[in-house]
Amino acid sequence: MRKNIVAGNWKMNTTVPEGVKLAKEVNDAVAAAGDLKCDVVIGVPFTHLTAVKAVIDINKVGLAAENCADHTSGAYTGEVSAPMVASTGANYVILGHSERRGYYGETYEILKNKVDLALESGLKIIFCCGESLEERENGSFKEVIKAELADSLFHLSAEAFANIVIAYEPIWAIGTGKTATSDQAQEVHAFIRGLVAEKYGEQVANDTTILYGGSCKPANAPELFAKPDIDGGLIGGASLKAESFMGIVTAF
Ligand code: 13P
């Protein structure tokens, strides 16, 4: 049966000392909470990975990079590869975030390469998808989500696909304070699970964790997480304070 996961995505926030402090606070709070009904992951900037890894118990708090390069090594100034991420002890990478797609031109093809390289390095992937406001309003959102998933993930074998967590993040809900209603989110999560079932069968679909992201907070997490196909959250703003992040972690 699939896992529930609450993952933070710090984005481009915190200095290294601030990030280490926040990671320690999350780690301590998770340890103190005892048995949780979800796995906890924090997604941090590349610069923070090694220092954060040193202050967390990786068996209790997973560690994600927010991106990786579409090449393994070589003359790609400024890039950070999947093997480099894995060598820090991180066990996840977030790929396909709408901010990467939108601001840095990440295409389905580039993401497909990143997915392959991350898996080769033994990283699990939190793979994001989601529509813009225009796509929501003109009704094309399901086609958009289908293409985002099919063109970057569905070349994988069922065995490789077991390392994929999907995050549905409607772009119009990210950082806007406008959460998708739990019914809107559930509709898309069920649709995504259906796509996975069509491609890989019911068993794989039932085992796939699908997270919701977009203005998720302690106040709205319980209603979202109560839906049958919402298996947790990918949390931006509310992951930057241990207290609000833990308020979501304990929403299950
Ligand atoms: P917010 O929680 O700040 O809306 O961000 C969501 C997100 O983009 C997580 O990846």
Side-chain angles (χ1 to χ4, degrees):
M1 214 27 210
R2 59 185 177 262
K3 281 183 187 172
N4 294 324
I5 300 175
V6 172
N9 174 11
W10 292 0
K11 307 193 180 183
M12 197 174 74
N13 291 296
T14 73
T15 61
V16 173
E18 288 164 354
V20 166
K21 180 169 175 279
L22 175 56
K24 264 190 203 155
E25 287 168 4
V26 170
N27 187 71
D28 291 352
V30 167
D35 276 346
L36 289 169
K37 296 200 178 69
C38 65
D39 285 5
V40 177
V41 177
I42 51 177
V44 312
F46 290 133
T47 43
H48 297 34
L49 288 167
T50 300
V52 165
K53 170 66 175 55
V55 298
I56 60 172
D57 176 354
I58 196 82
N59 299 309
K60 295 213 166 76
V61 177
L63 181 61
E66 299 173 14
N67 182 29
C68 71
D70 57 344
H71 298 278
T72 304
S73 65
Y76 302 100
T77 302
E79 288 293 293
V80 176
S81 71
M84 292 173 182
V85 168
S87 73
T88 68
N91 47 0
Y92 282 89
V93 61
I94 298 168
L95 290 176
H97 195 283
S98 57
E99 289 150 18
R100 300 289 325 164
R101 294 178 192 264
Y103 304 150
Y104 302 100
E106 295 197 358
T107 62
Y108 300 163
E109 195 57 34
I110 289 171
L111 287 168
K112 183 175 177 223
N113 288 337
K114 292 188 178 197
V115 163
D116 289 340
L117 294 175
L119 292 178
E120 274 171 32
S121 290
L123 296 167
K124 293 189 207 94
I125 298 170
I126 299 175
F127 189 87
C128 307
C129 62
E131 79 284 2
S132 65
L133 185 59
E134 188 189 347
E135 291 157 349
R136 162 71 45 178
E137 286 175 346
N138 71 21
S140 65
F141 60 101
K142 288 189 179 166
E143 283 314 303
V144 169
I145 291 163
K146 183 175 181 180
E148 287 180 334
L149 296 177
D151 292 4
S152 301
L153 292 181
F154 284 1
H155 63 290
L156 297 173
S157 67
E159 192 188 1
F161 196 82
N163 295 300
I164 306 292
V165 171
I166 294 173
Y168 168 57
E169 300 206 310
I171 299 169
W172 47 272
I174 296 177
T176 58
K178 223 191 216 181
T179 324
T181 66
S182 55
D183 286 339
Q184 280 175 323
Q186 166 58 27
E187 183 196 1
V188 175
H189 282 231
F191 170 71
I192 291 171
R193 202 174 304 286
L195 294 175
V196 176
E198 255 172 48
K199 173 69 192 171
Y200 295 105
E202 291 292 333
Q203 182 67 51
V204 172
N206 280 332
D207 289 346
T208 301
T209 298
I210 308 178
L211 310 180
Y212 169 78
S215 298
C216 187
K217 297 182 176 60
N220 57 28
E223 188 185 332
L224 288 160
F225 297 175
K227 293 291 180 187
D229 289 295
I230 302 181
D231 309 313
L234 182 57
I235 318 301
S239 72
L240 293 171
K241 292 262 183 300
E243 194 186 347
S244 50
F245 186 56
M246 289 308 292
I248 300 171
V249 167
T250 53
F252 278 104

